[in-house]
Amino acid sequence: MPAPATKPTTTVPASAPVAPAVSGAPRPAAPAMPVPTVVEPIPASGQHVVQPKENLYSVARRFSLRPADIVAWNNLPPNPSLRIGQVLRLTAPAAENGAVAPSAPVSKPVPAASKPAATPAVAPAVAAPAAPASVRHTVLAGETMYSVSRKYGVTIKQIMEWNSKPDFSVKPGEVLVIKPAK
């Protein structure tokens, strides 16, 4: 009886590409390669204009920030839907004198009910610095009346009154007079 025919064998190096599977058999999965994340420096203006396909998490990742910080610095709701062209603050707001605002209150006020009746009310010894009378804000590309109002803590209606504007449209380069609320 003749010897059975043998099939010649070949060795394939481990680095060789895998041929597609024949007859519908599953193909081994390629090893997962991490996608490199490019961290950009925060712009000098401290602001970012939302681009198409960006969300809170992609912006936070892009500038190596926490999404919770961006939400807090921009007074956004817990799960915000960003709009194309929306301007986001990428740095913590500073106090009026240029120092960073404290994250916790300095002292706790004592409720009036817990004070003894014989103790007279005492005015604070140090007066708070007066807020500036008005600020001139130059509208940047991508800013809206809404984003400007949020930035300064005022309403759109107030900005329209202070600038005698008939509507809430703004153009890049336009200078608005703002009377900060803080």
Side-chain angles (χ1 to χ4, degrees):
M1 186 164 185
T6 60
K7 202 172 178 185
T9 60
T10 57
T11 26
V12 179
S15 62
V18 176
V22 181
S23 73
R27 190 172 120 184
M33 298 298 290
V35 177
T37 303
V38 177
V39 177
E40 295 181 23
I42 293 176
S45 66
Q47 296 179 336
H48 172 71
V49 178
V50 176
Q51 301 300 315
K53 299 185 181 177
E54 282 187 328
N55 60 34
L56 175 67
Y57 301 100
S58 65
V59 172
R61 216 176 21 245
R62 181 175 180 180
F63 297 104
S64 188
L65 297 170
R66 292 177 0 164
D69 289 338
I70 295 175
V71 167
W73 298 336
N74 292 281
N75 298 321
L76 298 173
N79 293 318
S81 295
L82 301 182
R83 296 178 320 277
I84 297 172
Q86 182 176 356
V87 178
L88 294 176
R89 177 189 295 266
L90 299 178
T91 58
E96 291 177 18
N97 61 1
V100 177
S103 59
V106 176
S107 63
K108 226 177 188 178
V110 178
S114 66
K115 291 183 183 179
T119 307
V122 179
V126 179
S134 65
V135 174
R136 296 176 59 82
H137 175 82
T138 303
V139 177
L140 301 174
E143 281 187 318
T144 63
M145 183 75 81
Y146 178 73
S147 66
V148 173
S149 71
R150 294 291 297 258
K151 180 176 182 177
Y152 293 99
V154 297
T155 65
I156 293 174
K157 185 176 179 181
Q158 288 173 315
I159 295 174
M160 290 172 60
E161 288 173 7
W162 298 329
N163 293 279
S164 303
K165 290 187 66 63
D167 59 15
F168 54 86
S169 64
V170 291
K171 297 176 187 155
E174 183 177 354
V175 178
L176 298 173
V177 174
I178 309 290
K179 298 177 183 176
K182 299 174 184 175

